[in-house]
């Protein structure tokens, strides 16, 4: 695992050389052909967060300066009407305050919390997706599971209890709308005629289920029950429905693309659950096995013996994690390398080698 961390740190330099002042969105497969965004969209905070995490591992002042510089470029996203801002500023700013006491990151965190809380809608008792960052015309009536963990963590960093209360109202509304009793989750819901309505099928989308698990693990760490029992149920559902480490992106399409990134996120939830349960060792062991399987799979490029940082036989540079199922500019789902996927994998590895705590990612 320490070798995989070293490869990913080295990989960041190669990605950074292609970004200039932009943010890396994705690179298809092992192509190393990055789509760069000037503003970062919803993934920009993961690029900053990845550098905060690298700084935590290396202790390098240069890495820390790099993380801080990228963090400040996120400020343009504060005013965008999207709950995806919680992903941006939890990973991209708040971690800089938590780990390094970075004053600029702390101020940006405070500013982002106030701005996101301003989108709270008392009629639906939560913060909707919003119309920005692709939320569309229904964005102010739609709620999504993927931002739950980040919003809980971000808002509960504040010294103001009103933000804690908003995050819990949001969590309760989302869980009531999207959670099924067996631990399966719908990825989103839309408010119509006085209630939330779900579409699709619960538990089918692997990354959606993983996002829900991560959110519940954060709710359990913050508030205890009933979220702890619900977190355990969601993790058990994952283990029943996805016994392998490389699950299909959608259970309804078992021969379609897999999504190893969903396993990484699910493993992070299990590592958090492990710290909260009397039988926590089983979850840590399961997460360890899942992450080990991923870094030894075809979706993570290692190096041949005695080849240092040379390319593999398949032409892939070492340290590429290309296990993220993502809808690209071609309008289709592809397996890609991404800042968010690599950040989460590095975070999981860092937890397993005791560099960071499970609730700091």
């Amino acid at each position: 695992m320490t070798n995989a961390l070293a490869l990913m740190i080295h990989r960041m330099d190669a990605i950074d050389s292609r970004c200039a002042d932009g943010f890396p969105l994705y690179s298809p497969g092992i192509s190393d052909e990055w789509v760069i965004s000037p503003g970062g969209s919803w993934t920009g905070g993961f690029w900053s967060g990845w550098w905060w995490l690298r700084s935590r591992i290396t202790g390098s002042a240069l890495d820390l300066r790099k993380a801080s510089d990228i963090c400040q470029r996120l400020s343009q996203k504060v005013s965008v009407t999207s709950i995806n801002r919680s992903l941006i500023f939890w990973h991209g700013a708040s971690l800089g305050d938590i780990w390094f006491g970075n004053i600029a990151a702390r101020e940006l965190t405070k500013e982002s919390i106030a701005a996101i809380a301003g989108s709270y809608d008392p009629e639906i008792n939560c913060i909707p997706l919003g119309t920005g960052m692709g939320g569309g015309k229904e964005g102010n009536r739609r709620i999504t599971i993927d931002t739950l963990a980040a919003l809980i963590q971000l808002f509960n960093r504040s010294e103001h209890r009103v933000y804690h209360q908003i995050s819990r109202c949001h969590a309760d509304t989302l869980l009531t709308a999207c959670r099924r009793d067996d631990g399966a989750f719908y990825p989103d819901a839309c408010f119509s005629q006085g209630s939330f309505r779900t579409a699709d099928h619960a538990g089918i989308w692997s990354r959606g289920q993983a996002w829900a698990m991560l959110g519940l693990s954060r709710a359990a760490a913050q508030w205890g029950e009933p979220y702890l029992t619900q977190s355990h149920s969601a993790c058990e559902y994952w283990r029943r429905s996805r016994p392998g480490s490389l699950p299909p992106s959608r259970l309804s399409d078992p021969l379609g693309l897999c999504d190893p990134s969903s396993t990484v996120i699910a493993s992070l939830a299990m590592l958090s659950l492990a710290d909260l349960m009397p039988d926590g060792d089983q979850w840590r062991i399961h997460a360890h096995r899942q992450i080990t399987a991923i870094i030894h799979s075809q979706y993570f490029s290692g190096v041949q013996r005695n080849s240092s940082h040379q390319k593999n036989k398949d032409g892939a540079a070492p340290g590429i994690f290309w296990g993220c199922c993502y809808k690209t500019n071609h309008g289709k789902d592809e397996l890609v390398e991404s800042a968010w996927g690599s950040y989460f994998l590095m975070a999981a590895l860092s937890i397993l080698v005791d560099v960071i705590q499970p609730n700091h990612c």
Side-chain angles (χ1 to χ4, degrees), residues 275-303:
D275 279 357
L276 303 173
M277 299 289 291
D279 60 346
D281 283 350
Q282 66 158 313
W283 294 109
R284 174 173 274 268
I285 291 169
H286 189 72
H288 189 286
R289 288 173 179 165
Q290 299 280 72
I291 297 300
T292 299
I294 285 173
I295 63 175
H296 286 96
S297 75
Q298 64 178 307
Y299 302 105
F300 183 81
S301 60
V303 294

mmCIF file of all heavy atoms in Angstrom, residues 275-303:
data_model
loop_
_atom_site.group_PDB
_atom_site.id
_atom_site.type_symbol
_atom_site.label_atom_id
_atom_site.label_comp_id
_atom_site.label_asym_id
_atom_site.label_seq_id
_atom_site.Cartn_x
_atom_site.Cartn_y
_atom_site.Cartn_z
ATOM 1 N N ASP A 275 -14.824 2.209 13.181
ATOM 2 C CA ASP A 275 -14.474 2.954 14.400
ATOM 3 C C ASP A 275 -15.661 3.146 15.337
ATOM 4 O O ASP A 275 -15.485 3.597 16.472
ATOM 5 C CB ASP A 275 -13.901 4.322 14.030
ATOM 6 C CG ASP A 275 -12.433 4.248 13.648
ATOM 7 O OD1 ASP A 275 -11.850 3.150 13.728
ATOM 8 O OD2 ASP A 275 -11.867 5.289 13.254
ATOM 9 N N LEU A 276 -16.867 2.825 14.861
ATOM 10 C CA LEU A 276 -18.075 3.122 15.625
ATOM 11 C C LEU A 276 -18.784 1.882 16.159
ATOM 12 O O LEU A 276 -19.676 2.002 17.001
ATOM 13 C CB LEU A 276 -19.065 3.902 14.734
ATOM 14 C CG LEU A 276 -18.553 5.213 14.129
ATOM 15 C CD1 LEU A 276 -19.582 5.765 13.133
ATOM 16 C CD2 LEU A 276 -18.258 6.246 15.201
ATOM 17 N N MET A 277 -18.387 0.704 15.668
ATOM 18 C CA MET A 277 -19.093 -0.529 16.015
ATOM 19 C C MET A 277 -18.240 -1.442 16.891
ATOM 20 O O MET A 277 -17.012 -1.499 16.724
ATOM 21 C CB MET A 277 -19.469 -1.297 14.740
ATOM 22 C CG MET A 277 -20.400 -0.553 13.795
ATOM 23 S SD MET A 277 -22.087 -0.403 14.425
ATOM 24 C CE MET A 277 -22.617 -2.115 14.345
ATOM 25 N N PRO A 278 -18.865 -2.189 17.811
ATOM 26 C CA PRO A 278 -18.108 -3.162 18.616
ATOM 27 C C PRO A 278 -17.426 -4.231 17.766
ATOM 28 O O PRO A 278 -16.350 -4.717 18.097
ATOM 29 C CB PRO A 278 -19.181 -3.780 19.520
ATOM 30 C CG PRO A 278 -20.294 -2.793 19.542
ATOM 31 C CD PRO A 278 -20.282 -2.123 18.207
ATOM 32 N N ASP A 279 -18.080 -4.594 16.631
ATOM 33 C CA ASP A 279 -17.503 -5.594 15.732
ATOM 34 C C ASP A 279 -16.823 -4.918 14.547
ATOM 35 O O ASP A 279 -16.813 -5.441 13.431
ATOM 36 C CB ASP A 279 -18.585 -6.558 15.238
ATOM 37 C CG ASP A 279 -19.699 -5.837 14.459
ATOM 38 O OD1 ASP A 279 -19.762 -4.586 14.529
ATOM 39 O OD2 ASP A 279 -20.488 -6.518 13.788
ATOM 40 N N GLY A 280 -16.218 -3.775 14.810
ATOM 41 C CA GLY A 280 -15.662 -2.963 13.734
ATOM 42 C C GLY A 280 -14.544 -3.616 12.946
ATOM 43 O O GLY A 280 -14.345 -3.290 11.771
ATOM 44 N N ASP A 281 -13.821 -4.550 13.546
ATOM 45 C CA ASP A 281 -12.690 -5.169 12.849
ATOM 46 C C ASP A 281 -13.110 -5.840 11.554
ATOM 47 O O ASP A 281 -12.364 -5.830 10.567
ATOM 48 C CB ASP A 281 -11.997 -6.189 13.753
ATOM 49 C CG ASP A 281 -11.113 -5.542 14.806
ATOM 50 O OD1 ASP A 281 -10.894 -4.308 14.707
ATOM 51 O OD2 ASP A 281 -10.660 -6.249 15.718
ATOM 52 N N GLN A 282 -14.310 -6.427 11.533
ATOM 53 C CA GLN A 282 -14.754 -7.114 10.320
ATOM 54 C C GLN A 282 -14.880 -6.133 9.157
ATOM 55 O O GLN A 282 -14.597 -6.487 8.006
ATOM 56 C CB GLN A 282 -16.077 -7.833 10.556
ATOM 57 C CG GLN A 282 -17.259 -6.912 10.839
ATOM 58 C CD GLN A 282 -18.595 -7.566 10.554
ATOM 59 O OE1 GLN A 282 -18.796 -8.182 9.510
ATOM 60 N NE2 GLN A 282 -19.507 -7.446 11.518
ATOM 61 N N TRP A 283 -15.301 -4.897 9.461
ATOM 62 C CA TRP A 283 -15.463 -3.903 8.400
ATOM 63 C C TRP A 283 -14.118 -3.372 7.930
ATOM 64 O O TRP A 283 -13.923 -3.119 6.735
ATOM 65 C CB TRP A 283 -16.371 -2.772 8.874
ATOM 66 C CG TRP A 283 -17.762 -3.249 9.111
ATOM 67 C CD1 TRP A 283 -18.395 -3.413 10.310
ATOM 68 C CD2 TRP A 283 -18.688 -3.679 8.112
ATOM 69 N NE1 TRP A 283 -19.661 -3.913 10.123
ATOM 70 C CE2 TRP A 283 -19.868 -4.081 8.787
ATOM 71 C CE3 TRP A 283 -18.645 -3.770 6.729
ATOM 72 C CZ2 TRP A 283 -20.981 -4.561 8.107
ATOM 73 C CZ3 TRP A 283 -19.757 -4.246 6.046
ATOM 74 C CH2 TRP A 283 -20.910 -4.640 6.736
ATOM 75 N N ARG A 284 -13.183 -3.202 8.858
ATOM 76 C CA ARG A 284 -11.842 -2.770 8.459
ATOM 77 C C ARG A 284 -11.176 -3.849 7.600
ATOM 78 O O ARG A 284 -10.541 -3.530 6.577
ATOM 79 C CB ARG A 284 -10.985 -2.474 9.692
ATOM 80 C CG ARG A 284 -9.525 -2.161 9.370
ATOM 81 C CD ARG A 284 -8.758 -1.715 10.592
ATOM 82 N NE ARG A 284 -8.910 -0.285 10.801
ATOM 83 C CZ ARG A 284 -8.065 0.620 10.296
ATOM 84 N NH1 ARG A 284 -7.036 0.251 9.564
ATOM 85 N NH2 ARG A 284 -8.249 1.903 10.521
ATOM 86 N N ILE A 285 -11.334 -5.093 7.974
ATOM 87 C CA ILE A 285 -10.740 -6.191 7.205
ATOM 88 C C ILE A 285 -11.353 -6.260 5.810
ATOM 89 O O ILE A 285 -10.645 -6.427 4.804
ATOM 90 C CB ILE A 285 -10.929 -7.529 7.953
ATOM 91 C CG1 ILE A 285 -10.063 -7.551 9.212
ATOM 92 C CG2 ILE A 285 -10.598 -8.712 7.048
ATOM 93 C CD1 ILE A 285 -10.381 -8.704 10.154
ATOM 94 N N HIS A 286 -12.684 -6.110 5.748
ATOM 95 C CA HIS A 286 -13.353 -6.162 4.446
ATOM 96 C C HIS A 286 -12.891 -5.000 3.561
ATOM 97 O O HIS A 286 -12.596 -5.208 2.369
ATOM 98 C CB HIS A 286 -14.871 -6.102 4.634
ATOM 99 C CG HIS A 286 -15.637 -6.371 3.373
ATOM 100 N ND1 HIS A 286 -15.724 -7.624 2.808
ATOM 101 C CD2 HIS A 286 -16.344 -5.533 2.558
ATOM 102 C CE1 HIS A 286 -16.455 -7.559 1.706
ATOM 103 N NE2 HIS A 286 -16.841 -6.301 1.537
ATOM 104 N N ALA A 287 -12.808 -3.792 4.114
ATOM 105 C CA ALA A 287 -12.348 -2.636 3.344
ATOM 106 C C ALA A 287 -10.915 -2.846 2.876
ATOM 107 O O ALA A 287 -10.567 -2.517 1.733
ATOM 108 C CB ALA A 287 -12.460 -1.370 4.190
ATOM 109 N N HIS A 288 -10.076 -3.373 3.749
ATOM 110 C CA HIS A 288 -8.676 -3.635 3.399
ATOM 111 C C HIS A 288 -8.596 -4.591 2.206
ATOM 112 O O HIS A 288 -7.823 -4.364 1.260
ATOM 113 C CB HIS A 288 -7.948 -4.216 4.608
ATOM 114 C CG HIS A 288 -6.460 -4.341 4.444
ATOM 115 N ND1 HIS A 288 -5.880 -5.315 3.657
ATOM 116 C CD2 HIS A 288 -5.432 -3.603 4.952
ATOM 117 C CE1 HIS A 288 -4.571 -5.184 3.686
ATOM 118 N NE2 HIS A 288 -4.269 -4.151 4.471
ATOM 119 N N ARG A 289 -9.408 -5.641 2.226
ATOM 120 C CA ARG A 289 -9.412 -6.602 1.120
ATOM 121 C C ARG A 289 -9.878 -5.954 -0.181
ATOM 122 O O ARG A 289 -9.319 -6.228 -1.254
ATOM 123 C CB ARG A 289 -10.322 -7.786 1.473
ATOM 124 C CG ARG A 289 -9.746 -8.724 2.537
ATOM 125 C CD ARG A 289 -10.771 -9.760 2.942
ATOM 126 N NE ARG A 289 -10.235 -10.691 3.938
ATOM 127 C CZ ARG A 289 -10.972 -11.496 4.673
ATOM 128 N NH1 ARG A 289 -12.306 -11.490 4.526
ATOM 129 N NH2 ARG A 289 -10.418 -12.313 5.551
ATOM 130 N N GLN A 290 -10.896 -5.121 -0.073
ATOM 131 C CA GLN A 290 -11.427 -4.461 -1.268
ATOM 132 C C GLN A 290 -10.396 -3.526 -1.894
ATOM 133 O O GLN A 290 -10.190 -3.526 -3.112
ATOM 134 C CB GLN A 290 -12.695 -3.676 -0.903
ATOM 135 C CG GLN A 290 -13.835 -4.521 -0.361
ATOM 136 C CD GLN A 290 -14.612 -5.221 -1.453
ATOM 137 O OE1 GLN A 290 -14.140 -6.171 -2.073
ATOM 138 N NE2 GLN A 290 -15.808 -4.761 -1.706
ATOM 139 N N ILE A 291 -9.761 -2.706 -1.076
ATOM 140 C CA ILE A 291 -8.770 -1.758 -1.591
ATOM 141 C C ILE A 291 -7.551 -2.500 -2.128
ATOM 142 O O ILE A 291 -6.993 -2.128 -3.181
ATOM 143 C CB ILE A 291 -8.358 -0.755 -0.495
ATOM 144 C CG1 ILE A 291 -9.563 0.094 -0.063
ATOM 145 C CG2 ILE A 291 -7.227 0.136 -0.986
ATOM 146 C CD1 ILE A 291 -10.197 0.909 -1.169
ATOM 147 N N THR A 292 -7.132 -3.552 -1.445
ATOM 148 C CA THR A 292 -6.005 -4.350 -1.926
ATOM 149 C C THR A 292 -6.312 -4.941 -3.299
ATOM 150 O O THR A 292 -5.459 -4.939 -4.207
ATOM 151 C CB THR A 292 -5.678 -5.480 -0.929
ATOM 152 O OG1 THR A 292 -5.307 -4.905 0.326
ATOM 153 C CG2 THR A 292 -4.532 -6.348 -1.440
ATOM 154 N N ALA A 293 -7.540 -5.442 -3.465
ATOM 155 C CA ALA A 293 -7.932 -6.012 -4.756
ATOM 156 C C ALA A 293 -7.889 -4.969 -5.859
ATOM 157 O O ALA A 293 -7.477 -5.260 -6.995
ATOM 158 C CB ALA A 293 -9.330 -6.619 -4.651
ATOM 159 N N ILE A 294 -8.291 -3.746 -5.549
ATOM 160 C CA ILE A 294 -8.317 -2.694 -6.564
ATOM 161 C C ILE A 294 -6.913 -2.307 -7.003
ATOM 162 O O ILE A 294 -6.631 -2.163 -8.198
ATOM 163 C CB ILE A 294 -9.096 -1.469 -6.042
ATOM 164 C CG1 ILE A 294 -10.593 -1.775 -6.065
ATOM 165 C CG2 ILE A 294 -8.794 -0.228 -6.881
ATOM 166 C CD1 ILE A 294 -11.453 -0.722 -5.438
ATOM 167 N N ILE A 295 -5.992 -2.135 -6.059
ATOM 168 C CA ILE A 295 -4.648 -1.701 -6.464
ATOM 169 C C ILE A 295 -3.870 -2.820 -7.156
ATOM 170 O O ILE A 295 -2.840 -2.559 -7.788
ATOM 171 C CB ILE A 295 -3.837 -1.121 -5.281
ATOM 172 C CG1 ILE A 295 -3.601 -2.168 -4.195
ATOM 173 C CG2 ILE A 295 -4.518 0.122 -4.728
ATOM 174 C CD1 ILE A 295 -2.713 -1.671 -3.064
ATOM 175 N N HIS A 296 -4.376 -4.072 -7.058
ATOM 176 C CA HIS A 296 -3.766 -5.171 -7.787
ATOM 177 C C HIS A 296 -4.553 -5.525 -9.051
ATOM 178 O O HIS A 296 -4.221 -6.498 -9.733
ATOM 179 C CB HIS A 296 -3.638 -6.402 -6.891
ATOM 180 C CG HIS A 296 -2.558 -6.282 -5.868
ATOM 181 N ND1 HIS A 296 -2.800 -5.872 -4.571
ATOM 182 C CD2 HIS A 296 -1.214 -6.482 -5.951
ATOM 183 C CE1 HIS A 296 -1.654 -5.841 -3.900
ATOM 184 N NE2 HIS A 296 -0.686 -6.201 -4.708
ATOM 185 N N SER A 297 -5.582 -4.739 -9.365
ATOM 186 C CA SER A 297 -6.392 -5.006 -10.548
ATOM 187 C C SER A 297 -5.827 -4.263 -11.754
ATOM 188 O O SER A 297 -4.912 -3.451 -11.656
ATOM 189 C CB SER A 297 -7.842 -4.562 -10.306
ATOM 190 O OG SER A 297 -7.940 -3.140 -10.363
ATOM 191 N N GLN A 298 -6.433 -4.509 -12.898
ATOM 192 C CA GLN A 298 -6.027 -3.825 -14.128
ATOM 193 C C GLN A 298 -6.350 -2.330 -14.080
ATOM 194 O O GLN A 298 -5.828 -1.565 -14.897
ATOM 195 C CB GLN A 298 -6.733 -4.454 -15.319
ATOM 196 C CG GLN A 298 -8.264 -4.296 -15.288
ATOM 197 C CD GLN A 298 -8.936 -4.890 -16.504
ATOM 198 O OE1 GLN A 298 -8.587 -4.572 -17.646
ATOM 199 N NE2 GLN A 298 -9.903 -5.777 -16.272
ATOM 200 N N TYR A 299 -7.189 -1.923 -13.144
ATOM 201 C CA TYR A 299 -7.625 -0.525 -13.105
ATOM 202 C C TYR A 299 -6.672 0.385 -12.323
ATOM 203 O O TYR A 299 -6.912 1.586 -12.220
ATOM 204 C CB TYR A 299 -9.038 -0.435 -12.527
ATOM 205 C CG TYR A 299 -10.013 -1.251 -13.346
ATOM 206 C CD1 TYR A 299 -10.491 -2.476 -12.876
ATOM 207 C CD2 TYR A 299 -10.409 -0.830 -14.609
ATOM 208 C CE1 TYR A 299 -11.344 -3.255 -13.641
ATOM 209 C CE2 TYR A 299 -11.260 -1.594 -15.381
ATOM 210 C CZ TYR A 299 -11.734 -2.804 -14.892
ATOM 211 O OH TYR A 299 -12.573 -3.571 -15.671
ATOM 212 N N PHE A 300 -5.618 -0.206 -11.788
ATOM 213 C CA PHE A 300 -4.568 0.598 -11.164
ATOM 214 C C PHE A 300 -3.241 0.168 -11.764
ATOM 215 O O PHE A 300 -2.869 -1.009 -11.692
ATOM 216 C CB PHE A 300 -4.541 0.410 -9.644
ATOM 217 C CG PHE A 300 -3.526 1.282 -8.958
ATOM 218 C CD1 PHE A 300 -3.811 2.611 -8.686
ATOM 219 C CD2 PHE A 300 -2.283 0.782 -8.607
ATOM 220 C CE1 PHE A 300 -2.879 3.427 -8.073
ATOM 221 C CE2 PHE A 300 -1.339 1.589 -7.986
ATOM 222 C CZ PHE A 300 -1.633 2.922 -7.718
ATOM 223 N N SER A 301 -2.542 1.117 -12.360
ATOM 224 C CA SER A 301 -1.292 0.771 -13.040
ATOM 225 C C SER A 301 -0.129 0.826 -12.064
ATOM 226 O O SER A 301 0.159 1.874 -11.489
ATOM 227 C CB SER A 301 -1.041 1.707 -14.229
ATOM 228 O OG SER A 301 -0.944 3.053 -13.806
ATOM 229 N N GLY A 302 0.498 -0.332 -11.860
ATOM 230 C CA GLY A 302 1.689 -0.399 -11.031
ATOM 231 C C GLY A 302 2.927 -0.334 -11.891
ATOM 232 O O GLY A 302 2.887 0.117 -13.042
ATOM 233 N N VAL A 303 4.061 -0.801 -11.371
ATOM 234 C CA VAL A 303 5.298 -0.806 -12.150
ATOM 235 C C VAL A 303 5.868 -2.208 -12.168
ATOM 236 O O VAL A 303 5.662 -2.998 -11.251
ATOM 237 C CB VAL A 303 6.358 0.165 -11.563
ATOM 238 C CG1 VAL A 303 5.901 1.594 -11.683
ATOM 239 C CG2 VAL A 303 6.658 -0.172 -10.110
#
